[in-house]
Amino acid sequence: MKAILTKKETGTEQIRLDLAWELFFPGSIGKHPHYSDLLYPFTNWLWTVLGNQSGFMRQEQNVTKIFKINDMEESSLVFLIRILSMWFDEVIIDIDDESNKNQWTFPITNVYDENLDESEKAQQLIAENYSFRNLMPLLGPSRVFATVELLGPDQVSARLHSHSTIDEFYLILDGTATLRMNGKERVVKRGDFISKPAGPDLTSQILADQGTSVRILDIEVHPNADPRTKEVVHYPDHGEILLHGHGWSSIIPDSALMNTNEFDKNYEKGYYRKKDGSWEPKDIPGYEKRID
């Protein structure tokens, strides 16, 4: 099973990564979309293409696939090599002096190593006393979203929050910190593994308030491989509820939440709910106007 990345036009059927790259990353001309959510739909698309045409359990023997690319930054090329290596025994770069060298790569990254390859560097944000490194989708599209976050003293990982559809887990890799969870606090240290399943609406936040830097492996398990799947996120400290995902991008105050008893009782009545929570009668086809 062999994948060949080339800039050449060939007489054989080619998978046009050059066109796909421009479609998903307009105007990038081979540049890596540094820490961009667009990498996820691109990787999901490529994964689907590879699944339809490649795979180690296919009947065809000695399958070779040709992928046409344009000029690409090293980080973009390394990213493609990582993804193709999961589907092929050989990944050949047939451009310039790289011709016929097998670039097959293990699906491995190191959460401590600071000597990153170019594709890993492109998925890292660095600021004063803080760094954030996205491990996905370099390791392939998955329901898992994994990051390594390094907090300097007095830094905070995120707002106190809960997820409606995402299971979240934290592993403290280095340092000590304070975990806030559902109105309680506990000091956590290297080796502590913290679970926050979505069902109970547990809230969590990690504070680097113990006088040391803290390195955290943050693992989220999504319902599917698309991180833009619709979800409700609650931020109780801020009194906000975020509606996140495809077609959603809104916040509402959590103080606006109401008991569903009235809703259930009047489900088959015609009325309109106003912003302040009150209602007014309304003619709605198929329903008797609410009057109580």
Side-chain angles (χ1 to χ4, degrees):
M1 300 277 295
K2 181 188 297 185
I4 299 177
L5 286 163
T6 180
K7 296 185 218 175
K8 303 172 185 175
E9 294 281 355
T10 69
T12 59
E13 182 179 352
Q14 290 181 308
I15 297 174
R16 297 296 301 270
L17 287 181
D18 57 335
L19 299 180
W21 197 269
E22 177 63 26
L23 176 65
F24 282 91
F25 316 117
S28 67
I29 316 178
K31 292 183 179 180
H32 195 286
H34 292 255
Y35 195 73
S36 170
D37 284 346
L38 293 175
L39 271 177
Y40 287 89
F42 172 82
T43 308
N44 289 336
W45 166 81
L46 178 56
W47 204 258
T48 300
V49 170
L50 296 174
N52 288 336
Q53 301 192 27
S54 308
F56 294 105
M57 297 184 69
R58 294 185 70 88
Q59 293 282 329
E60 301 93 328
Q61 298 296 316
N62 300 319
V63 173
T64 297
K65 293 295 178 183
I66 311 296
F67 298 83
K68 187 175 186 304
I69 59 174
N70 285 329
D71 291 328
M72 307 195 86
E73 291 183 338
E74 182 181 355
S75 56
S76 301
L77 194 57
V78 173
F79 170 74
L80 292 176
I81 291 170
R82 280 177 169 268
I83 299 302
L84 294 178
S85 293
M86 299 183 192
W87 290 90
F88 298 92
D89 294 309
E90 296 181 80
V91 181
I92 305 299
I93 311 300
D94 186 20
I95 54 175
D96 304 327
D97 61 348
E98 300 292 333
S99 179
N100 298 321
K101 292 182 180 179
N102 187 3
Q103 305 287 334
W104 190 90
T105 302
F106 283 97
I108 297 174
T109 190
N110 191 294
V111 297
Y112 290 105
D113 196 354
E114 296 182 359
N115 184 26
L116 308 179
D117 68 30
E118 292 302 315
S119 63
E120 292 172 318
K121 289 178 183 177
Q123 293 294 99
Q124 186 177 40
L125 298 174
I126 299 177
E128 185 176 359
N129 294 324
Y130 177 84
S131 69
F132 183 88
R133 179 180 162 206
N134 186 13
L135 305 182
M136 315 300 294
L138 298 173
L139 302 179
S142 170
R143 294 188 300 115
V144 174
F145 178 81
T147 63
V148 176
E149 194 169 18
L150 180 62
L151 305 177
D154 299 322
Q155 296 276 359
V156 60
S157 62
R159 287 180 173 187
L160 182 70
H161 69 287
S162 68
H163 294 285
S164 67
T165 63
I166 295 173
D167 297 323
E168 192 166 16
F169 305 91
Y170 309 97
L171 175 61
I172 307 300
L173 300 172
D174 284 310
T176 58
T178 296
L179 170 68
R180 297 179 64 206
M181 182 169 276
N182 273 27
K184 302 173 181 61
E185 294 186 358
R186 171 175 170 168
V187 174
V188 289
K189 62 185 185 305
R190 175 185 172 93
D192 282 342
F193 187 72
I194 303 153
S195 171
K196 190 179 78 173
D201 293 335
L202 285 171
T203 58
S204 67
Q205 182 185 47
I206 296 177
L207 308 170
D209 61 354
Q210 299 295 310
T212 69
S213 295
V214 182
R215 192 192 307 265
I216 306 163
L217 175 63
D218 185 349
I219 300 173
E220 297 180 354
V221 183
H222 292 240
N224 56 55
D226 188 345
R228 293 290 299 173
T229 298
K230 287 182 176 179
E231 196 207 14
V232 178
V233 186
H234 183 207
Y235 301 103
D237 282 346
H238 296 75
E240 292 177 338
I241 294 174
L242 171 67
L243 305 180
H244 169 80
H246 289 294
W248 282 6
S249 182
S250 300
I251 61 168
I252 58 176
D254 61 9
S255 59
L257 292 176
M258 302 177 61
N259 191 290
T260 60
N261 290 341
E262 182 196 348
F263 168 82
D264 296 334
K265 180 181 177 181
N266 295 281
Y267 184 82
E268 296 182 353
K269 298 291 181 66
Y271 68 94
Y272 179 79
R273 183 77 61 185
K274 295 188 288 186
K275 185 181 294 187
D276 63 1
S278 62
W279 59 273
E280 60 184 22
K282 182 178 180 181
D283 289 319
I284 298 178
Y287 293 96
E288 179 183 351
K289 185 182 293 187
R290 179 179 177 181
I291 59 175
D292 62 323

